[in-house]
Amino acid sequence: MLAARVIPCLDVHGGRVVKGTNFVNLRDAGDPVQVASRYEAEGADELVFLDITASHEERDIILDVVRRTADCVFMPLTVGGGVRTIEDVRDLLNAGCDKVSINSAACKDPEFIRRAADRFGSQCIVVNIDPKRVQKDGQEFWEVHIHGGRTPTGRQAVQWAREVEALGAGEIVLTSMDADGTCDGFDLPITAAVSQAVSIPVVASGGAGNPQHLADAILKGHASAALAASIFHFGQYSIAETKRVMRQAGIPVRL
Amino acid sequence: MITIVDYQMGNLRSVQKAIEHVGGEAKISSDPHEIATASQLVLPGVGAFGDAMAEINRRDLAQPIRDFVDTGRPFLGICLGLQLLFEQGFEHGTHRGLGILPGEVVRFDLPESFKVPHMGWNTVHKTAPSAILDQIADDTHFYFVHSYYVRPADPSLTSLTCNYGHDFCAMVTRDQLFATQFHPEKSQANGLNLLRAFNNLASATESQSHSS
């Protein structure tokens, strides 16, 4: 039976794993290769590196991190952050990553998704969607934001999810800007709405504070996978104990 | 020495590193002569069936791959490298494959509750013996990512099945030819065990030929 995936996300800045709130108060959480190896030993199903530097001058740092990780960690690796061109995608795949996630560049130029999927295959093109609940004409509107939630795009999350699927994306990582960093749980209504609107896998992201939250993302949010960062980085919960909670909730996991 | 076929479709480095991790040596090559005369061959690949065949044909690699398989030396196909062995695929139109094995490659046609691509860790079930599966327990997880699957015309080719909506062929074996729909190089300990067993076939073959 296909297992629900548990995916630790590593924010990488200057070649180190960091964790902070809204890009401030960054705390050092270790060497990416060491952290990745620890997660592999704990039974992580995939790893996501988010390059939060994402300035083109520092591009080589993330490529080096990916290369060194891919040399000793044998599970799927996804890299996101600052992916703007076909060359960026190619460089990351050549460095050893399996999937590349695109966010701002996809919002600005949706055809970029199609070009990347045509060139490298849908299976390696992930689109990040970051919705935020806003009021529009007196009604709640799930507006997609870019630049870490600072810039509204006018796009509606469910509609945009359908569009990126049609353009050839192979997976969606959905990060609710309202839930992100709260540790109060994933935004289940948005996750469920997006998961049920598309036929490609959706990864729930943003808000995980305990293992039950990940179980809820699968059971109530209908996500295929759940991504979390801080609950794993500082040893609050291990991946194995998270999966045991999920299994107890009746979710197929790989233990 | 294991030769990995380079036809610009997918992540060869991961396959090479995984083979090295289990004590093997691997080189990446797109040279037709090197491929035809390799001692062991790996055909990896991700992407679309038609594009992949076009790249293989552009490099004149189809016949060298067939020639290699004809020698009976150990061969391992991975993901698209499994699918390409068959006669035809239907990804974005109808395309001829390498035609080494009888059968075709078709898209998952499943109820809405099943996401396509089939992506993630799924369990496999042994249906026939295979020389590289000795260390693999039944019902272990491997990492899959694909929207198409193979339908061998000869059911005895299937050595592992996987279930996603229905049973499908997750691995074929014919003598020393092996090919998996999942990615052993991305399947942690299980995948490395499979690659180690494949690598060990070489030493077995080589020591046999030395002693004879």
Short mmCIF file of all heavy atoms in Angstrom, two decimals, chain A residues 1-3 5 40 44-46 67 70-71 74-76 93-99 118 123 170-171 195 198-201 224 253-254, chain B residues 8-9 11 13-14 17-18 21 46-48 51 112 114-123 141 143 145 163-164 184-188 192:
data_model
loop_
_atom_site.label_atom_id
_atom_site.label_comp_id
_atom_site.label_asym_id
_atom_site.label_seq_id
_atom_site.Cartn_x
_atom_site.Cartn_y
_atom_site.Cartn_z
N MET A 1 0.83 -1.20 0.00
CA MET A 1 0.00 0.00 0.00
C MET A 1 0.87 1.25 0.00
O MET A 1 1.90 1.28 0.68
CB MET A 1 -0.89 -0.01 1.24
CG MET A 1 -1.96 1.04 1.22
SD MET A 1 -3.03 0.85 2.67
CE MET A 1 -4.56 0.44 1.91
N LEU A 2 0.47 2.24 -0.77
CA LEU A 2 1.27 3.47 -0.84
C LEU A 2 1.26 4.17 0.51
O LEU A 2 0.20 4.43 1.08
CB LEU A 2 0.70 4.39 -1.93
CG LEU A 2 1.48 5.69 -2.16
CD1 LEU A 2 2.86 5.41 -2.73
CD2 LEU A 2 0.71 6.62 -3.11
N ALA A 3 2.46 4.49 1.01
CA ALA A 3 2.58 5.12 2.33
C ALA A 3 2.43 6.63 2.23
O ALA A 3 2.86 7.24 1.25
CB ALA A 3 3.94 4.77 2.92
N ARG A 5 3.74 10.14 3.07
CA ARG A 5 5.14 10.53 3.26
C ARG A 5 5.30 11.57 4.36
O ARG A 5 4.49 12.49 4.47
CB ARG A 5 5.70 11.10 1.96
CG ARG A 5 5.93 10.08 0.86
CD ARG A 5 6.24 10.76 -0.46
NE ARG A 5 5.04 11.23 -1.14
CZ ARG A 5 5.00 12.24 -2.01
NH1 ARG A 5 6.10 12.90 -2.30
NH2 ARG A 5 3.87 12.60 -2.58
N GLU A 40 17.68 10.50 7.41
CA GLU A 40 17.62 9.23 6.67
C GLU A 40 17.58 8.06 7.66
O GLU A 40 16.79 7.14 7.52
CB GLU A 40 18.80 9.08 5.72
CG GLU A 40 18.81 7.69 5.06
CD GLU A 40 19.64 7.62 3.79
OE1 GLU A 40 20.86 7.68 3.90
OE2 GLU A 40 19.05 7.48 2.70
N ALA A 44 13.00 9.25 7.39
CA ALA A 44 12.34 10.26 6.55
C ALA A 44 12.09 9.67 5.16
O ALA A 44 12.88 8.87 4.68
CB ALA A 44 13.20 11.50 6.44
N ASP A 45 10.99 10.07 4.53
CA ASP A 45 10.65 9.52 3.23
C ASP A 45 11.24 10.32 2.08
O ASP A 45 11.43 9.80 0.98
CB ASP A 45 9.13 9.46 3.08
CG ASP A 45 8.53 8.48 4.08
OD1 ASP A 45 9.03 7.35 4.17
OD2 ASP A 45 7.58 8.87 4.79
N GLU A 46 11.47 11.59 2.31
CA GLU A 46 12.09 12.48 1.33
C GLU A 46 12.68 13.62 2.12
O GLU A 46 12.38 13.79 3.31
CB GLU A 46 11.05 13.09 0.37
CG GLU A 46 10.42 12.12 -0.57
CD GLU A 46 9.50 12.81 -1.58
OE1 GLU A 46 9.70 14.01 -1.88
OE2 GLU A 46 8.58 12.13 -2.05
N ARG A 67 25.07 18.29 -3.81
CA ARG A 67 26.05 17.29 -4.26
C ARG A 67 26.53 16.44 -3.09
O ARG A 67 26.55 15.22 -3.15
CB ARG A 67 27.25 18.00 -4.89
CG ARG A 67 27.35 17.76 -6.36
CD ARG A 67 28.55 18.47 -6.97
NE ARG A 67 28.09 19.47 -7.90
CZ ARG A 67 28.33 20.76 -7.83
NH1 ARG A 67 29.04 21.26 -6.83
NH2 ARG A 67 27.86 21.58 -8.74
N ALA A 70 23.65 14.21 -1.79
CA ALA A 70 23.28 13.13 -2.71
C ALA A 70 24.35 12.04 -2.74
O ALA A 70 24.06 10.91 -3.13
CB ALA A 70 23.06 13.69 -4.11
N ASP A 71 25.56 12.36 -2.31
CA ASP A 71 26.62 11.35 -2.29
C ASP A 71 26.41 10.32 -1.19
O ASP A 71 26.94 9.21 -1.27
CB ASP A 71 28.00 12.02 -2.07
CG ASP A 71 28.46 12.72 -3.34
OD1 ASP A 71 27.75 12.65 -4.35
OD2 ASP A 71 29.53 13.36 -3.30
N PHE A 74 20.36 8.26 0.36
CA PHE A 74 19.72 7.60 -0.78
C PHE A 74 18.21 7.65 -0.67
O PHE A 74 17.53 6.65 -0.46
CB PHE A 74 20.27 6.18 -0.91
CG PHE A 74 21.76 6.20 -1.13
CD1 PHE A 74 22.64 5.94 -0.09
CD2 PHE A 74 22.28 6.57 -2.36
CE1 PHE A 74 24.01 6.00 -0.29
CE2 PHE A 74 23.65 6.63 -2.57
CZ PHE A 74 24.52 6.35 -1.52
N MET A 75 17.68 8.85 -0.76
CA MET A 75 16.24 9.05 -0.84
C MET A 75 16.00 10.30 -1.68
O MET A 75 16.94 11.05 -1.97
CB MET A 75 15.65 9.19 0.56
CG MET A 75 16.03 10.46 1.27
SD MET A 75 15.10 10.61 2.80
CE MET A 75 16.37 11.21 3.89
N PRO A 76 14.77 10.54 -2.09
CA PRO A 76 14.51 11.66 -2.97
C PRO A 76 14.81 13.02 -2.30
O PRO A 76 14.45 13.24 -1.14
CB PRO A 76 13.03 11.53 -3.30
CG PRO A 76 12.72 10.10 -3.05
CD PRO A 76 13.58 9.69 -1.91
N LEU A 93 19.35 19.49 -10.88
CA LEU A 93 19.18 18.06 -11.19
C LEU A 93 20.54 17.41 -11.40
O LEU A 93 20.79 16.31 -10.92
CB LEU A 93 18.29 17.88 -12.43
CG LEU A 93 16.83 18.33 -12.28
CD1 LEU A 93 16.08 18.18 -13.61
CD2 LEU A 93 16.10 17.54 -11.19
N ASN A 94 21.43 18.11 -12.10
CA ASN A 94 22.77 17.56 -12.32
C ASN A 94 23.55 17.40 -11.02
O ASN A 94 24.40 16.52 -10.90
CB ASN A 94 23.58 18.43 -13.29
CG ASN A 94 23.12 18.23 -14.72
OD1 ASN A 94 22.45 17.25 -15.03
ND2 ASN A 94 23.47 19.16 -15.60
N ALA A 95 23.27 18.26 -10.06
CA ALA A 95 23.97 18.16 -8.78
C ALA A 95 23.47 16.97 -7.97
O ALA A 95 24.10 16.57 -7.00
CB ALA A 95 23.79 19.45 -7.98
N GLY A 96 22.33 16.40 -8.35
CA GLY A 96 21.87 15.19 -7.68
C GLY A 96 20.51 15.32 -7.04
O GLY A 96 20.06 14.44 -6.31
N CYS A 97 19.80 16.43 -7.28
CA CYS A 97 18.47 16.50 -6.68
C CYS A 97 17.46 15.89 -7.66
O CYS A 97 17.72 15.76 -8.86
CB CYS A 97 18.14 17.90 -6.19
SG CYS A 97 17.23 18.90 -7.27
N ASP A 98 16.35 15.42 -7.12
CA ASP A 98 15.38 14.67 -7.91
C ASP A 98 14.21 15.52 -8.35
O ASP A 98 13.60 15.28 -9.37
CB ASP A 98 14.86 13.49 -7.09
CG ASP A 98 15.99 12.60 -6.66
OD1 ASP A 98 16.45 11.82 -7.49
OD2 ASP A 98 16.46 12.74 -5.52
N LYS A 99 13.86 16.50 -7.51
CA LYS A 99 12.74 17.37 -7.84
C LYS A 99 13.15 18.81 -7.54
O LYS A 99 13.92 19.06 -6.61
CB LYS A 99 11.50 17.02 -7.01
CG LYS A 99 11.01 15.61 -7.21
CD LYS A 99 9.66 15.38 -6.52
CE LYS A 99 9.80 14.61 -5.26
NZ LYS A 99 8.50 14.26 -4.65
N ASP A 118 8.23 19.99 -19.78
CA ASP A 118 8.52 19.40 -21.09
C ASP A 118 9.97 18.95 -21.17
O ASP A 118 10.28 17.90 -21.74
CB ASP A 118 8.25 20.41 -22.21
CG ASP A 118 6.77 20.52 -22.52
OD1 ASP A 118 6.01 19.68 -21.99
OD2 ASP A 118 6.38 21.42 -23.28
N GLN A 123 7.56 14.66 -13.36
CA GLN A 123 7.87 14.06 -12.06
C GLN A 123 8.88 14.87 -11.27
O GLN A 123 8.97 14.74 -10.07
CB GLN A 123 8.35 12.62 -12.24
CG GLN A 123 9.81 12.43 -12.63
CD GLN A 123 10.12 12.92 -14.02
OE1 GLN A 123 9.28 12.90 -14.91
NE2 GLN A 123 11.33 13.38 -14.24
N GLY A 170 4.18 18.17 -11.43
CA GLY A 170 3.96 16.79 -10.99
C GLY A 170 3.55 16.69 -9.54
O GLY A 170 3.13 15.63 -9.07
N GLU A 171 3.68 17.80 -8.81
CA GLU A 171 3.34 17.79 -7.39
C GLU A 171 3.18 19.25 -6.92
O GLU A 171 3.75 20.15 -7.53
CB GLU A 171 4.47 17.11 -6.59
CG GLU A 171 4.16 16.87 -5.12
CD GLU A 171 5.21 15.98 -4.44
OE1 GLU A 171 6.39 16.37 -4.39
OE2 GLU A 171 4.83 14.89 -3.99
N SER A 195 -6.22 19.67 -2.42
CA SER A 195 -5.98 18.24 -2.69
C SER A 195 -7.10 17.65 -3.52
O SER A 195 -6.87 16.82 -4.40
CB SER A 195 -5.88 17.46 -1.38
OG SER A 195 -4.78 17.89 -0.63
N VAL A 198 -7.20 18.71 -7.52
CA VAL A 198 -6.20 18.27 -8.50
C VAL A 198 -5.98 16.75 -8.39
O VAL A 198 -6.28 16.15 -7.37
CB VAL A 198 -4.84 18.99 -8.31
CG1 VAL A 198 -4.98 20.48 -8.57
CG2 VAL A 198 -4.26 18.74 -6.91
N SER A 199 -5.42 16.17 -9.48
CA SER A 199 -5.15 14.73 -9.44
C SER A 199 -3.68 14.43 -9.17
O SER A 199 -3.29 13.28 -9.12
CB SER A 199 -5.61 14.07 -10.73
OG SER A 199 -4.86 14.58 -11.79
N ILE A 200 -2.85 15.48 -9.01
CA ILE A 200 -1.44 15.25 -8.66
C ILE A 200 -1.29 15.30 -7.14
O ILE A 200 -2.16 15.86 -6.45
CB ILE A 200 -0.50 16.29 -9.33
CG1 ILE A 200 -0.95 17.73 -9.03
CG2 ILE A 200 -0.44 16.06 -10.83
CD1 ILE A 200 -0.04 18.81 -9.60
N PRO A 201 -0.22 14.71 -6.59
CA PRO A 201 -0.05 14.70 -5.14
C PRO A 201 0.12 16.12 -4.57
O PRO A 201 0.73 16.99 -5.21
CB PRO A 201 1.23 13.89 -4.92
CG PRO A 201 1.48 13.16 -6.20
CD PRO A 201 0.85 13.96 -7.28
N SER A 224 -1.12 13.94 0.33
CA SER A 224 -0.37 12.70 0.12
C SER A 224 0.85 12.64 1.02
O SER A 224 1.45 11.58 1.20
CB SER A 224 0.11 12.63 -1.33
OG SER A 224 -0.98 12.62 -2.21
N VAL A 253 2.04 4.05 6.73
CA VAL A 253 3.33 4.74 6.71
C VAL A 253 4.44 3.69 6.56
O VAL A 253 4.20 2.50 6.76
CB VAL A 253 3.60 5.56 7.99
CG1 VAL A 253 2.69 6.76 8.07
CG2 VAL A 253 3.45 4.69 9.24
N ARG A 254 5.61 4.14 6.24
CA ARG A 254 6.77 3.24 6.10
C ARG A 254 7.57 3.33 7.39
O ARG A 254 8.14 4.36 7.70
CB ARG A 254 7.62 3.71 4.91
CG ARG A 254 8.80 2.82 4.60
CD ARG A 254 9.56 3.39 3.42
NE ARG A 254 10.16 4.67 3.76
CZ ARG A 254 11.47 4.85 3.98
NH1 ARG A 254 12.31 3.86 3.88
NH2 ARG A 254 11.93 6.06 4.27
N GLN B 8 21.09 11.52 -21.54
CA GLN B 8 20.58 12.83 -21.14
C GLN B 8 19.16 12.78 -20.60
O GLN B 8 18.40 13.73 -20.78
CB GLN B 8 20.67 13.84 -22.30
CG GLN B 8 22.10 14.16 -22.73
CD GLN B 8 22.86 14.93 -21.66
OE1 GLN B 8 22.41 15.97 -21.20
NE2 GLN B 8 24.00 14.40 -21.23
N MET B 9 18.78 11.64 -19.99
CA MET B 9 17.46 11.58 -19.39
C MET B 9 17.61 11.18 -17.93
O MET B 9 17.58 10.00 -17.59
CB MET B 9 16.56 10.57 -20.11
CG MET B 9 16.23 10.90 -21.55
SD MET B 9 15.23 12.38 -21.79
CE MET B 9 13.60 11.76 -21.38
N ASN B 11 18.92 11.46 -13.70
CA ASN B 11 19.96 11.64 -12.72
C ASN B 11 20.89 10.44 -12.65
O ASN B 11 20.64 9.48 -11.95
CB ASN B 11 19.22 11.82 -11.39
CG ASN B 11 20.11 12.39 -10.36
OD1 ASN B 11 21.32 12.20 -10.40
ND2 ASN B 11 19.52 13.08 -9.41
N ARG B 13 24.10 10.53 -11.75
CA ARG B 13 25.00 10.63 -10.61
C ARG B 13 24.48 9.86 -9.40
O ARG B 13 25.24 9.17 -8.73
CB ARG B 13 25.16 12.12 -10.28
CG ARG B 13 26.13 12.39 -9.17
CD ARG B 13 26.11 13.88 -8.81
NE ARG B 13 26.77 14.10 -7.54
CZ ARG B 13 28.08 14.21 -7.41
NH1 ARG B 13 28.85 14.15 -8.46
NH2 ARG B 13 28.62 14.39 -6.23
N SER B 14 23.17 9.92 -9.14
CA SER B 14 22.60 9.21 -8.00
C SER B 14 22.82 7.71 -8.15
O SER B 14 23.13 7.02 -7.18
CB SER B 14 21.09 9.45 -7.90
OG SER B 14 20.85 10.80 -7.67
N LYS B 17 26.55 6.95 -7.59
CA LYS B 17 26.93 7.05 -6.17
C LYS B 17 26.42 5.87 -5.36
O LYS B 17 27.09 5.37 -4.47
CB LYS B 17 26.39 8.36 -5.57
CG LYS B 17 27.13 9.57 -6.06
CD LYS B 17 28.54 9.59 -5.48
CE LYS B 17 29.40 10.57 -6.25
NZ LYS B 17 30.81 10.50 -5.82
N ALA B 18 25.20 5.43 -5.68
CA ALA B 18 24.63 4.31 -4.95
C ALA B 18 25.43 3.03 -5.23
O ALA B 18 25.68 2.24 -4.32
CB ALA B 18 23.15 4.13 -5.33
N HIS B 21 28.54 3.20 -3.33
CA HIS B 21 28.27 3.03 -1.90
C HIS B 21 28.22 1.55 -1.51
O HIS B 21 28.56 1.21 -0.38
CB HIS B 21 26.94 3.71 -1.55
CG HIS B 21 26.69 3.87 -0.09
ND1 HIS B 21 27.21 4.91 0.64
CD2 HIS B 21 26.00 3.11 0.78
CE1 HIS B 21 26.85 4.79 1.90
NE2 HIS B 21 26.11 3.70 2.02
N VAL B 46 14.59 9.02 -16.29
CA VAL B 46 13.31 9.62 -15.94
C VAL B 46 12.92 10.51 -17.11
O VAL B 46 13.76 10.89 -17.91
CB VAL B 46 13.39 10.46 -14.63
CG1 VAL B 46 13.66 9.58 -13.43
CG2 VAL B 46 14.44 11.55 -14.73
N GLY B 47 11.64 10.81 -17.21
CA GLY B 47 11.18 11.65 -18.30
C GLY B 47 10.18 10.90 -19.16
O GLY B 47 9.62 9.90 -18.73
N ALA B 48 9.98 11.41 -20.37
CA ALA B 48 8.94 10.85 -21.23
C ALA B 48 9.51 9.78 -22.16
O ALA B 48 10.64 9.88 -22.63
CB ALA B 48 8.28 11.96 -22.04
N ASP B 51 10.57 10.97 -25.84
CA ASP B 51 11.80 11.77 -25.80
C ASP B 51 13.00 10.86 -25.56
O ASP B 51 14.07 11.05 -26.16
CB ASP B 51 11.76 12.79 -24.65
CG ASP B 51 10.71 13.87 -24.87
OD1 ASP B 51 10.17 13.92 -26.00
OD2 ASP B 51 10.43 14.64 -23.94
N GLU B 112 -10.75 8.75 -9.22
CA GLU B 112 -10.24 10.07 -8.85
C GLU B 112 -9.45 10.10 -7.54
O GLU B 112 -8.59 10.94 -7.35
CB GLU B 112 -11.40 11.05 -8.73
CG GLU B 112 -11.42 12.10 -9.81
CD GLU B 112 -12.58 13.07 -9.63
OE1 GLU B 112 -12.94 13.35 -8.47
OE2 GLU B 112 -13.11 13.52 -10.65
N PHE B 114 -7.21 8.28 -6.58
CA PHE B 114 -5.80 7.92 -6.76
C PHE B 114 -5.07 9.04 -7.49
O PHE B 114 -5.44 9.38 -8.61
CB PHE B 114 -5.66 6.62 -7.55
CG PHE B 114 -6.10 5.41 -6.78
CD1 PHE B 114 -7.40 4.96 -6.85
CD2 PHE B 114 -5.19 4.74 -5.97
CE1 PHE B 114 -7.80 3.84 -6.13
CE2 PHE B 114 -5.59 3.61 -5.25
CZ PHE B 114 -6.89 3.17 -5.32
N LYS B 115 -4.03 9.57 -6.84
CA LYS B 115 -3.23 10.61 -7.48
C LYS B 115 -2.31 9.98 -8.52
O LYS B 115 -1.77 8.89 -8.31
CB LYS B 115 -2.37 11.31 -6.42
CG LYS B 115 -3.16 11.95 -5.29
CD LYS B 115 -3.86 13.18 -5.77
CE LYS B 115 -4.51 13.94 -4.62
NZ LYS B 115 -5.12 15.19 -5.06
N VAL B 116 -2.14 10.65 -9.63
CA VAL B 116 -1.17 10.25 -10.65
C VAL B 116 -0.31 11.48 -10.93
O VAL B 116 -0.88 12.53 -11.21
CB VAL B 116 -1.87 9.76 -11.94
CG1 VAL B 116 -0.83 9.41 -13.00
CG2 VAL B 116 -2.74 8.55 -11.64
N PRO B 117 1.05 11.40 -10.88
CA PRO B 117 1.89 10.22 -10.72
C PRO B 117 1.68 9.44 -9.41
O PRO B 117 1.31 10.01 -8.40
CB PRO B 117 3.32 10.78 -10.77
CG PRO B 117 3.24 12.26 -10.77
CD PRO B 117 1.84 12.65 -11.01
N HIS B 118 1.91 8.12 -9.53
CA HIS B 118 2.06 7.26 -8.36
C HIS B 118 3.42 7.62 -7.77
O HIS B 118 4.45 7.32 -8.35
CB HIS B 118 2.03 5.80 -8.83
CG HIS B 118 2.39 4.79 -7.77
ND1 HIS B 118 3.26 3.75 -8.01
CD2 HIS B 118 2.01 4.68 -6.48
CE1 HIS B 118 3.39 3.01 -6.90
NE2 HIS B 118 2.65 3.56 -5.96
N MET B 119 3.41 8.36 -6.66
CA MET B 119 4.65 8.93 -6.14
C MET B 119 4.79 8.59 -4.67
O MET B 119 3.89 8.86 -3.89
CB MET B 119 4.63 10.45 -6.33
CG MET B 119 5.94 11.12 -5.97
SD MET B 119 5.82 12.94 -6.01
CE MET B 119 5.82 13.28 -7.77
N GLY B 120 5.91 7.97 -4.32
CA GLY B 120 6.18 7.69 -2.92
C GLY B 120 6.60 6.24 -2.70
O GLY B 120 6.96 5.53 -3.65
N TRP B 121 6.52 5.83 -1.44
CA TRP B 121 7.00 4.50 -1.04
C TRP B 121 5.84 3.53 -1.02
O TRP B 121 4.87 3.73 -0.31
CB TRP B 121 7.61 4.59 0.36
CG TRP B 121 8.81 5.47 0.44
CD1 TRP B 121 8.82 6.84 0.53
CD2 TRP B 121 10.19 5.07 0.42
NE1 TRP B 121 10.12 7.29 0.58
CE2 TRP B 121 10.97 6.23 0.52
CE3 TRP B 121 10.82 3.82 0.34
CZ2 TRP B 121 12.37 6.19 0.54
CZ3 TRP B 121 12.21 3.79 0.36
CH2 TRP B 121 12.97 4.96 0.46
N ASN B 122 5.98 2.46 -1.81
CA ASN B 122 4.94 1.45 -1.85
C ASN B 122 5.56 0.07 -1.65
O ASN B 122 6.76 -0.12 -1.89
CB ASN B 122 4.17 1.52 -3.17
CG ASN B 122 2.76 0.98 -3.05
OD1 ASN B 122 2.46 0.18 -2.16
ND2 ASN B 122 1.88 1.40 -3.94
N THR B 123 4.74 -0.88 -1.18
CA THR B 123 5.26 -2.22 -0.91
C THR B 123 5.20 -3.07 -2.18
O THR B 123 4.34 -2.88 -3.03
CB THR B 123 4.43 -2.91 0.19
OG1 THR B 123 3.04 -2.72 -0.11
CG2 THR B 123 4.73 -2.31 1.54
N HIS B 141 9.24 -1.74 1.30
CA HIS B 141 8.93 -0.51 0.56
C HIS B 141 10.05 -0.12 -0.42
O HIS B 141 11.23 -0.20 -0.08
CB HIS B 141 8.76 0.66 1.53
CG HIS B 141 7.47 0.65 2.28
ND1 HIS B 141 7.32 0.06 3.50
CD2 HIS B 141 6.25 1.19 1.96
CE1 HIS B 141 6.07 0.23 3.93
NE2 HIS B 141 5.40 0.90 3.02
N TYR B 143 10.83 3.18 -3.48
CA TYR B 143 10.36 4.50 -3.89
C TYR B 143 9.99 4.51 -5.38
O TYR B 143 10.81 4.20 -6.25
CB TYR B 143 11.43 5.57 -3.63
CG TYR B 143 10.90 6.95 -3.89
CD1 TYR B 143 10.14 7.61 -2.93
CD2 TYR B 143 11.12 7.59 -5.11
CE1 TYR B 143 9.60 8.87 -3.18
CE2 TYR B 143 10.60 8.85 -5.36
CZ TYR B 143 9.84 9.48 -4.39
OH TYR B 143 9.32 10.72 -4.64
N VAL B 145 8.11 6.71 -8.67
CA VAL B 145 7.52 7.94 -9.20
C VAL B 145 7.29 7.74 -10.70
O VAL B 145 8.23 7.71 -11.49
CB VAL B 145 8.35 9.21 -8.87
CG1 VAL B 145 9.80 9.07 -9.19
CG2 VAL B 145 7.75 10.44 -9.54
N ASN B 163 0.84 -2.77 -5.75
CA ASN B 163 -0.59 -2.46 -5.92
C ASN B 163 -0.83 -0.95 -5.80
O ASN B 163 -0.45 -0.33 -4.80
CB ASN B 163 -1.42 -3.19 -4.86
CG ASN B 163 -2.90 -2.99 -5.10
OD1 ASN B 163 -3.46 -1.95 -4.76
ND2 ASN B 163 -3.54 -3.96 -5.72
N TYR B 164 -1.41 -0.38 -6.84
CA TYR B 164 -1.88 1.01 -6.79
C TYR B 164 -3.17 1.06 -7.60
O TYR B 164 -3.13 1.15 -8.82
CB TYR B 164 -0.81 1.96 -7.35
CG TYR B 164 -1.11 3.42 -7.05
CD1 TYR B 164 -1.21 3.87 -5.74
CD2 TYR B 164 -1.31 4.33 -8.08
CE1 TYR B 164 -1.50 5.20 -5.46
CE2 TYR B 164 -1.59 5.67 -7.80
CZ TYR B 164 -1.68 6.09 -6.49
OH TYR B 164 -1.96 7.41 -6.21
N PRO B 184 15.82 1.95 -7.10
CA PRO B 184 16.63 1.39 -6.01
C PRO B 184 17.61 2.42 -5.44
O PRO B 184 17.88 2.40 -4.23
CB PRO B 184 17.35 0.20 -6.65
CG PRO B 184 17.18 0.35 -8.11
CD PRO B 184 15.98 1.21 -8.35
N GLU B 185 18.08 3.31 -6.29
CA GLU B 185 19.09 4.29 -5.83
C GLU B 185 18.47 5.35 -4.92
O GLU B 185 19.18 6.16 -4.33
CB GLU B 185 19.78 4.93 -7.04
CG GLU B 185 19.02 6.04 -7.77
CD GLU B 185 17.90 5.55 -8.70
OE1 GLU B 185 17.54 4.36 -8.63
OE2 GLU B 185 17.37 6.39 -9.46
N LYS B 186 17.12 5.33 -4.80
CA LYS B 186 16.44 6.29 -3.92
C LYS B 186 15.65 5.56 -2.84
O LYS B 186 14.79 6.15 -2.19
CB LYS B 186 15.47 7.15 -4.75
CG LYS B 186 16.17 8.10 -5.69
CD LYS B 186 16.83 9.23 -4.94
CE LYS B 186 17.85 9.94 -5.79
NZ LYS B 186 18.60 10.95 -5.01
N SER B 187 15.91 4.26 -2.69
CA SER B 187 15.10 3.46 -1.76
C SER B 187 15.89 3.00 -0.54
O SER B 187 15.65 1.91 0.00
CB SER B 187 14.51 2.25 -2.49
OG SER B 187 13.61 2.66 -3.50
N GLN B 188 16.82 3.82 -0.11
CA GLN B 188 17.57 3.59 1.12
C GLN B 188 18.06 2.14 1.21
O GLN B 188 18.56 1.60 0.23
CB GLN B 188 16.71 3.99 2.32
CG GLN B 188 16.39 5.49 2.27
CD GLN B 188 15.57 5.98 3.43
OE1 GLN B 188 15.12 5.23 4.28
NE2 GLN B 188 15.35 7.28 3.49
N LEU B 192 19.65 -0.26 -1.79
CA LEU B 192 21.09 -0.54 -1.78
C LEU B 192 21.34 -2.04 -1.75
O LEU B 192 22.27 -2.53 -2.40
CB LEU B 192 21.76 0.17 -0.59
CG LEU B 192 21.72 1.71 -0.65
CD1 LEU B 192 22.27 2.31 0.64
CD2 LEU B 192 22.50 2.26 -1.85
#
